[in-house]
Amino acid sequence: MARHNSIGYRKKAVLAARLVGASALGGVLVAGIALPAVGAAGLGAQSAVEDFDSLPDDFRTPPLSQATTVYDADGGTIATVYSRDRTVIGSDAMSPLVKTALVDIEDSRYYQHGAVDLKGVLRAVNSNAASGTTAQGASTLTQQYVKNVFVDQAGDDVQKVQEAQRQTLDRKVRELKYAIKVEETLTKDQILANYLNITFFGEKAYGIETAAQRYFSVHAKDLTLPQAALLAGLVQSPSAYDPIVNQAAAKTRRDTVLRRMAELGHITAVQAAQAIASPVELKVTRPHQGCITAGTGEGFFCDYVQRVVLSDPAFGKTPEERKALWKRGGLQIRTTLDPKAQKAVQQAVTAHAAPSDRPAAVMTVVQPGTGKVLAMAQSRPYGLGKDQTTINLNVPKRVGGGLGFPTGSTFKPIVAAAALENGIPASRTYTSGYSMPWPAMRDCSGGRFPESGEVHNDSRSLVGSFAMPAAMKQSVNTYFANLEAETGLCEVAKTAARLGITQQAGGEKLSVVPSMTLGSNDLTPLEMASVYAAFAAHGTYCAPTAITSVTGPDGKALGVPKASCTGAMSRTTADTVTAMLRGVVEDGGTGATAGLSDRATAGKTGTTNEGRQVWFVGYTPELAAATVVSDTTDPAPLEGQRMGGERIDAAFGGAVAGPIWRQAVEDALDGVPAGEFTAVRLPSADPEPSDPDGQATETGRPTPGGGQPATGRPTQGGRPTRGGDQTSPGPGRPSPGPGTGRPSHGTVVPIPGTGTAQPSQGAGQ
């Protein structure tokens, strides 16, 4: 027994010696912090002191990550987005009870000591020596606050979080240095408020305001005594004392806080007893955040707004700066989204296509003359579940979209605008048969596309002598092949560029090839709506804009992308195109089903190869909108598929996309006074009889021709056929297939093989 006692005594003596040594080291460390030169030798860790000396003198608290709110144009909330669910509040918005409870349980001498509590250090040493453990710590609230700042700065980077929490001498020196500086620059009440704003309370709740809302659905200023004690108790271990998961442990911890408050005289024994006798009563508000929570189909627009913030230099020079801004949050983002238009578009796309249908309906609305994006929706909901998607098919890939869709004949108005701008009148007439070879053309680099292949109309009845209005109304492919050849591919490409079309939706260069006039490039509803908005705005193109203002967490306004409007064409050209597009939606036009009966309407249909995509893009004086329907699972012909409970018997833009466009625009403009387009006198829109031989000829000039582009395979006007062998690389478009469609540069190279490819069917029905 004596020997056993002797061993126990020696063990306690060794432990006591170590703890005394630790105490002495702590004292020297504190002395070293105050007077580094004096304490350096005593530390026995020269490198730690050198690190200490190199630390900056001032300590700046970084802005805390908190929630960002995105608003529509009427001030309604679209969504709340955050990396940390936190709402920063002032000290006066916090219940005095929760401040008292936190101090009493975590650092009861908080208002008596400085950054370091020497009494607390000695008490912890003695307590741990007696128990043989290191269970009691001596960190002050200020030190804890400093550590929490470092952890918050680390964000979701696991390695950085571990670095901020590691128990090493140099880290403790760093924390103590900053703690001293914090105590020098902030009052005790300010430090306490900062602590309550930064601290994690479990259940994804950061800061006392969010914690009060999460567990009790009240503001922090309205917390009762039992509620305040429970939240103060969570700080030590949010997971162990989580009242949602382990209510018994949470109550035990809460009651410990209440007894401590009574022991220190901050509440009476009666108050403590009454609170302890009460059960833990929760009223949980689950976190709802992110674009996935947006209603009325606004998730895609919300996602677009986020992508704009992360990609536009207005929000930071580098991607890292923009990402830091978004992650820090606390932004109030006011947008252009019109809730009335959004509701109309959402109802239209979902009324015509179900989420489970293979074909999806996608639509964007913009405002002519400003570029404001008024609405954005698609028939599949925004989300990660079955029959949902987070790919915004309305926008290019660079801002979270897909790879776009070939536009079919909706591209023809761009060709018409280019022709008019280059002096070709709307009265220009070509006599066209059902089919013809693609005329010879050159691109902007001088590369030559020899006459080759075949372009044909959608119907064999589309033959005769057409002027531009008639060809536009009935979407005559052979006419626009000739018009593109006379205008010049490069001039068409330049006009497209002035209308914001400089590349395809997936980021590839615009394919400047003969089949461009039939919509062989992959674009998006946002881009096409913006193009047509320029026609409505008399030739002024405005780049799309979704954000009107941003306020930072400090209440100051941040810079936003500036509205960018430029003259893309003359007013005369734009108004002439509008006059021709009005004919498209009138009786006999391919878009008659989309025409509005009570207001001026203009637009164009588009149907791609084998009816895989159908479009209607149109406008009134008040808005421009683009609708596309496509099988985005594995783009296949739409004809025969079911959409909205009905079979698609005729996959044409006017029959499928047109009714969606009409419903959405009618409802969006309900009650809005109808504007008028500028009147323009056009040549007759009625075709004349065709020549007996059925060959396409231009009035007054020979048919262009000569050769075939050097691609090494059959082409559709410089681009490989979009045929049934395509596979879809992802939602938004079919694969363009092999080949580039690039012409030879200044030479004609014979092509082996005799096959010819069918062009994209841009008949626009």
Side-chain angles (χ1 to χ4, degrees):
M1 178 68 70
R3 189 169 184 272
H4 176 77
N5 288 340
S6 176
I7 293 173
Y9 177 80
R10 285 199 301 272
K11 183 177 181 181
K12 290 180 180 179
V14 171
L15 177 61
R18 288 177 178 173
L19 292 169
V20 169
S23 176
L25 179 60
V28 174
L29 178 60
V30 172
I33 292 171
L35 298 168
V38 175
L43 280 173
Q46 187 66 33
S47 62
V49 177
E50 289 172 353
D51 287 343
F52 173 85
D53 288 337
S54 66
L55 293 175
D57 291 333
D58 60 326
F59 176 76
R60 298 185 182 91
T61 304
L64 299 180
S65 174
Q66 52 186 311
T68 285
T69 305
V70 182
Y71 301 96
D72 63 32
D74 288 351
T77 298
I78 294 175
T80 299
V81 186
Y82 51 76
S83 59
R84 294 281 188 272
D85 189 3
R86 175 190 285 119
T87 300
V88 176
I89 58 174
S91 179
D92 57 353
M94 302 173 183
S95 166
L97 291 170
V98 77
K99 289 187 276 190
T100 300
L102 180 69
V103 170
D104 286 354
I105 196 64
E106 289 294 319
D107 185 2
S108 61
R109 285 176 31 80
Y110 175 66
Y111 285 98
Q112 281 76 53
H113 62 67
V116 181
D117 182 8
L118 294 180
K119 279 189 176 182
V121 171
L122 294 175
R123 183 175 63 251
V125 168
N126 291 332
S127 175
N128 293 340
S131 65
T133 69
T134 56
Q136 184 168 338
S139 290
T140 64
L141 273 179
T142 305
Q143 289 172 267
Q144 292 180 42
Y145 165 65
V146 169
K147 182 175 74 174
N148 284 344
V149 169
F150 288 135
V151 171
D152 195 76
Q153 284 179 320
D156 297 324
D157 188 316
V158 176
Q159 185 174 352
K160 289 183 178 179
V161 170
Q162 292 174 344
E163 175 72 14
Q165 294 176 328
R166 64 190 177 97
Q167 297 293 322
T168 60
L169 180 60
D170 61 329
R171 188 188 67 80
K172 296 300 291 185
V173 169
R174 181 185 296 267
E175 284 183 9
L176 287 168
K177 167 68 174 181
Y178 281 124
I180 291 172
K181 194 63 182 177
V182 166
E183 290 269 356
E184 290 176 355
T185 55
L186 300 176
T187 68
K188 286 287 190 177
D189 286 344
Q190 288 173 326
I191 297 169
L192 182 58
N194 285 356
Y195 182 98
L196 283 164
N197 274 320
I198 198 173
T199 297
F200 178 56
F201 288 89
E203 294 292 334
K204 300 182 179 180
Y206 290 82
I208 191 62
E209 175 67 15
T210 302
Q213 292 284 348
R214 179 77 75 252
Y215 296 109
F216 305 113
S217 299
V218 300
H219 292 294
K221 65 182 178 61
D222 299 322
L223 289 167
T224 64
L225 176 58
Q227 292 171 342
L230 186 144
L231 294 182
L234 282 176
V235 170
Q236 186 182 86
S237 181
S239 58
Y241 301 125
D242 186 338
I244 297 175
V245 176
N246 192 342
Q247 197 164 115
K251 184 178 187 307
T252 299
R253 177 63 176 168
R254 180 200 71 176
D255 296 348
T256 298
V257 176
L258 290 166
R259 292 188 183 97
R260 180 62 173 165
M261 294 176 74
E263 178 185 334
L264 295 172
H266 293 136
I267 60 174
T268 66
V270 173
Q271 288 174 315
Q274 290 176 342
I276 290 170
S278 67
V280 173
E281 295 179 336
L282 303 177
K283 187 178 180 182
V284 178
T285 298
R286 293 289 181 183
H288 295 286
Q289 78 94 14
C291 294
I292 202 168
T293 65
T296 325
E298 296 168 343
F300 296 103
F301 179 81
C302 173
D303 184 89
Y304 176 53
V305 168
Q306 178 177 347
R307 305 279 183 162
V308 169
V309 173
L310 292 174
S311 63
D312 197 295
F315 297 105
K317 294 181 179 179
T318 66
E320 292 74 22
E321 288 180 6
R322 297 189 292 270
K323 185 177 180 180
L325 174 69
W326 184 263
K327 185 176 180 180
R328 189 161 59 243
L331 307 176
Q332 305 294 306
I333 303 176
R334 304 197 178 275
T335 72
T336 60
L337 191 79
D338 181 333
K340 180 183 175 184
Q342 178 65 29
K343 181 179 179 181
V345 172
Q346 178 68 15
Q347 288 180 341
V349 296
T350 55
H352 289 264
S356 58
D357 292 339
R358 284 190 57 166
V362 185
M363 186 170 181
T364 293
V365 181
V366 301
Q367 186 178 66
T370 67
K372 291 181 179 179
V373 182
L374 304 180
M376 186 176 284
Q378 53 198 65
S379 55
R380 292 201 184 102
Y382 184 88
L384 300 171
K386 183 181 179 182
D387 300 324
Q388 297 180 339
T389 181
T390 55
I391 298 176
N392 187 355
L393 302 178
N394 280 287
V395 301
K397 181 182 178 181
R398 66 181 181 276
V399 282
L403 300 177
F405 308 90
T407 60
S409 290
T410 61
F411 198 88
K412 287 175 180 172
I414 299 176
V415 178
L420 294 169
E421 284 290 280
N422 282 276
I424 300 174
S427 59
R428 170 69 81 229
T429 303
Y430 305 103
T431 301
S432 302
Y434 165 67
S435 66
M436 59 178 277
W438 279 99
M441 305 184 201
R442 290 185 182 274
D443 69 4
C444 296
S445 301
R448 183 167 178 253
F449 290 92
E451 182 181 275
S452 65
E454 179 191 49
V455 55
H456 66 77
N457 298 323
D458 180 70
S459 171
R460 290 187 176 275
S461 65
L462 288 178
V463 295
S465 180
F466 295 89
M468 205 181 299
M472 186 73 78
K473 182 173 183 176
Q474 298 186 53
S475 205
V476 182
N477 291 339
T478 51
Y479 178 94
F480 279 92
N482 277 314
L483 184 65
E484 182 182 51
E486 183 178 355
T487 305
L489 275 177
C490 191
E491 294 304 320
V492 174
K494 289 178 180 178
T495 299
R498 291 194 294 271
L499 291 166
I501 307 299
T502 58
Q503 62 181 10
Q504 298 190 62
E508 307 94 337
K509 294 176 67 174
L510 197 68
S511 185
V512 182
V513 296
S515 62
M516 181 167 61
T517 189
L518 302 186
S520 55
N521 283 286
D522 297 320
L523 303 174
T524 65
L526 177 61
E527 292 167 309
M528 293 306 294
S530 299
V531 168
Y532 280 52
F535 299 140
H538 310 292
T540 298
Y541 169 78
C542 296
T545 179
I547 299 172
T548 56
S549 70
V550 177
T551 302
D554 57 0
K556 296 181 180 178
L558 303 182
V560 299
K562 295 180 180 179
S564 176
C565 295
T566 56
M569 65 194 75
S570 70
R571 184 185 184 100
T572 299
T573 291
D575 291 345
T576 301
V577 172
T578 293
M580 289 191 285
L581 294 180
R582 294 189 71 174
V584 173
V585 298
E586 294 172 352
D587 290 344
T590 60
T593 56
L596 304 179
S597 59
D598 61 342
R599 65 179 68 240
T601 315
K604 185 72 187 76
T605 50
T607 305
T608 66
N609 191 36
E610 297 183 324
R612 295 171 186 267
Q613 291 85 23
V614 293
W615 287 78
F616 186 81
V617 187
Y619 53 98
T620 70
E622 297 79 27
L623 59 78
T627 304
V628 64
V629 175
S630 176
D631 176 351
T632 59
T633 305
D634 180 15
L638 293 171
E639 190 167 312
Q641 294 199 47
R642 297 190 67 80
M643 187 177 83
E646 298 182 1
R647 184 179 185 275
I648 299 176
D649 293 322
F652 295 116
V656 180
I660 300 173
W661 187 94
R662 177 172 180 160
Q663 178 183 329
V665 174
E666 277 184 341
D667 292 346
L669 294 177
D670 184 37
V672 176
E676 292 292 339
F677 292 129
T678 301
V680 174
R681 186 186 180 98
L682 295 174
S684 173
D686 296 323
E688 298 177 6
S690 63
D691 288 345
D693 61 4
Q695 279 292 291
T697 60
E698 179 197 350
T699 302
R701 68 189 292 272
T703 303
Q708 187 171 356
T711 61
R713 57 182 281 115
T715 64
Q716 52 156 12
R719 181 173 180 140
T721 304
R722 290 182 174 277
D725 61 344
Q726 298 171 138
T727 57
S728 173
R733 73 157 205 194
S735 167
T740 63
R742 293 292 299 165
S744 58
H745 291 275
T747 61
V748 179
V749 180
I751 302 300
T754 58
T756 57
Q758 182 158 320
S760 172
Q761 293 304 301
Q765 296 296 312

